[in-house]
Amino acid sequence: MIFRRILFLFAAISALAVAAGVLVVALAYALFALMKPYVGSAGAAAVVAGATCVLIALLGVALTMAAKPPKRISKAPERIVDRIADFVRTKPVTAVAAAVATGLMAVRNPKYLGEAIRAFVEGRDAPRR
């Protein structure tokens, strides 16, 4: 049932994409036919190419703006669990590397484990802007 819905969704998306392509080609031909008496065939082709470049630039700007959601100002987490979750969420590779390094150091010398926990719990202030 779900697979069938997904297939219909993809079919609808592809139909809309094809319709948009046909519309763009028809509009390009209409613009060419409109400009041909004024600037000739080569000039009309240049106008169509310029209009296409403007359309692509506007689409690129719109997609770029849609791809980056606005940054949310978050308050500093109150609890240590929230700080750890926030750190892992923002820097997962660094968190895994730090966990592995801390584990290796704790095996070799347990004193380092206490230092690492204290450093993480105390943290440091956010940089000023």
Side-chain angles (χ1 to χ4, degrees):
M1 189 71 166
I2 293 175
F3 183 69
R4 186 174 181 186
R5 279 185 159 176
I6 291 173
L7 286 179
F8 278 117
L9 178 68
F10 283 140
I13 290 171
S14 63
L16 287 174
V18 168
V22 169
L23 176 69
V24 168
V25 170
L27 288 175
Y29 183 72
L31 181 61
F32 178 82
L34 180 69
M35 296 305 295
K36 186 176 178 182
Y38 299 109
V39 293
S41 294
V47 169
V48 169
T52 304
C53 289
V54 169
L55 178 68
I56 290 171
L58 289 175
L59 185 63
V61 167
L63 288 175
T64 302
M65 290 175 61
K68 295 180 182 175
K71 287 187 175 181
R72 285 185 272 156
I73 300 174
S74 62
K75 296 180 181 176
E78 301 293 326
R79 298 180 307 163
I80 185 68
V81 175
D82 293 336
R83 284 191 64 204
I84 292 172
D86 190 36
F87 182 76
V88 171
R89 192 177 309 117
T90 57
K91 301 176 185 175
V93 175
T94 306
V96 169
V100 169
T102 303
L104 290 174
M105 293 304 281
V107 169
R108 297 191 76 197
N109 189 353
K111 179 178 147 185
Y112 289 128
L113 181 61
E115 293 292 325
I117 290 173
R118 186 174 336 125
F120 192 86
V121 170
E122 290 177 359
R124 52 183 183 168
D125 296 332
R128 289 187 175 182
R129 291 186 181 198

